[in-house]
Amino acid sequence: MATVSIPACTTALLLDIEGTTTPITFVKDILFPYIVEHLEDYLSTHWEEDECKQDVHLLKKQIEEDMRQNRACPVHAVDQTVHTDEEKAIREVVESVMWQMAADRKSTALKQLQGHMWRAAYTSGRIKGEIYPDVVPSIKTWREHGLKVYIYSSGSVEAQKLLFGYSVEGDVLDLFHGHFDTTIGAKVDSKSYERIAERIGCQPEEITFLTDVSREAKAAEEAGLNVLVVVRPGNMELTDEESAHYNLITSFSQLQLMGRA
């Protein structure tokens, strides 16, 4: 693909992670299987700790909200306070988490628990965050030209910081000016991007968003952001209409900075 210019009005770049800075296979084949394999042991080990209790409480609230909205969910509520049988309570949490993961839910409750589990894996060296080789050099160049760089991912801010703090490239967290997750809103909701622009302190048209997901691209575009769609191996295929509508890149190195010193 040919080079693509970052709009001259851009003051901030907003980056997705999965399929944009990081291979989808890392999330699908490394991070998620780690949760499935280690969840029950993790809960058993940390069950009485405040952080774990807070995670379980959030999962309970999520199920209650799902039931109010008549969404499908596991039939029983999760509440470690009413069980005398700790093993039963843990099994119910496991059932809730596995159900949400199978349904590809993006709930804050799920992402928080996953983030805490991944923290243990990263800090122990069991996992290192994968980053495409074109990402770090490109971000350094953008920053040298005065652009700010932010992350917006459905993974929790903590999970994002772990990925980049314990990456195959080392600790690269200082490349980013800030992080956003679903606590600011869903990635397919245009209001989320308006809130991000407000939080960053610039106009939506001054932000260029890079993502591999067309629904996210559409929401960001509706909010007034500039959008580039990233086409990487394993990413969801775009329709002909989407391919014609969006500027596409296969590597960050294709991006050119126009009108900047």
Side-chain angles (χ1 to χ4, degrees):
M1 291 186 180
T3 57
V4 176
S5 297
I6 297 175
C9 61
T10 298
T11 61
L13 285 143
L14 184 64
L15 311 178
D16 171 48
I17 292 181
E18 187 178 352
T20 300
T21 67
T22 297
I24 284 179
T25 51
F26 173 68
V27 177
K28 186 177 72 172
D29 298 339
I30 303 295
L31 290 186
F32 284 171
Y34 180 86
I35 300 295
V36 172
E37 183 178 348
H38 296 281
L39 177 60
E40 191 164 347
D41 286 343
Y42 176 87
L43 291 170
S44 297
T45 302
H46 300 282
W47 188 251
E48 294 299 329
E49 298 172 11
D50 287 344
E51 184 177 80
C52 186
K53 288 180 178 179
Q54 290 168 7
D55 291 342
V56 171
H57 178 70
L58 269 187
L59 286 165
K60 175 179 178 290
K61 292 295 185 183
Q62 180 65 56
I63 291 175
E64 289 173 352
E65 177 62 23
D66 287 341
M67 293 175 71
R68 276 197 296 270
Q69 300 290 336
N70 291 318
R71 298 193 194 105
C73 61
V75 292
H76 52 251
V78 175
D79 189 348
Q80 71 191 85
T81 63
V82 300
H83 287 293
T84 55
D85 185 345
E86 181 178 300
E87 290 184 5
K88 179 183 177 185
I90 289 173
R91 283 196 301 272
E92 292 184 1
V93 176
V94 170
E95 180 183 344
S96 171
V97 170
M98 295 304 181
W99 178 85
Q100 288 197 57
M101 290 179 66
D104 196 27
R105 293 290 297 276
K106 309 291 186 184
S107 72
T108 299
L110 173 64
K111 295 300 179 183
Q112 178 170 302
L113 173 62
Q114 289 174 329
H116 292 154
M117 288 188 64
W118 288 327
R119 179 183 61 201
Y122 281 113
T123 55
S124 68
R126 288 183 175 183
I127 292 176
K128 286 189 180 295
E130 292 185 24
I131 307 173
Y132 288 113
D134 54 273
V135 171
V136 170
S138 297
I139 294 176
K140 287 180 177 177
T141 299
W142 301 339
R143 287 181 56 109
E144 287 168 3
H145 286 79
L147 292 173
K148 293 185 176 181
V149 183
Y150 298 86
I151 293 290
Y152 181 29
S153 173
S154 57
S156 68
V157 166
E158 180 172 17
Q160 298 171 29
K161 290 182 175 180
L162 289 168
L163 191 157
F164 293 110
Y166 295 89
S167 83
V168 292
E169 302 278 353
D171 184 351
V172 296
L173 274 176
D174 60 353
L175 294 177
F176 306 105
H177 292 82
H179 299 257
F180 300 97
D181 60 19
T182 53
T183 57
I184 205 158
K187 295 181 73 180
V188 295
D189 183 353
S190 63
K191 295 291 184 184
S192 303
Y193 299 89
E194 295 172 7
R195 294 186 195 106
I196 288 174
E198 185 176 351
R199 188 79 60 85
I200 289 174
C202 63
Q203 296 301 311
E205 60 268 21
E206 295 175 313
I207 302 174
T208 294
F209 178 50
L210 278 64
T211 181
D212 64 307
V213 179
S214 57
R215 290 178 66 207
E216 296 173 5
K218 182 175 184 290
E221 195 173 51
E222 288 173 351
L225 278 65
N226 304 296
V227 174
L228 295 167
V229 174
V230 184
V231 180
R232 304 273 199 184
N235 288 4
M236 188 178 297
E237 287 192 21
L238 302 172
T239 65
D240 291 342
E241 183 179 357
E242 290 166 346
S243 296
H245 178 74
Y246 295 109
N247 283 322
L248 310 179
I249 60 170
T250 59
S251 168
F252 284 12
S253 60
Q254 288 174 255
L255 295 179
Q256 283 192 332
L257 296 162
M258 301 300 290
R260 295 177 186 272

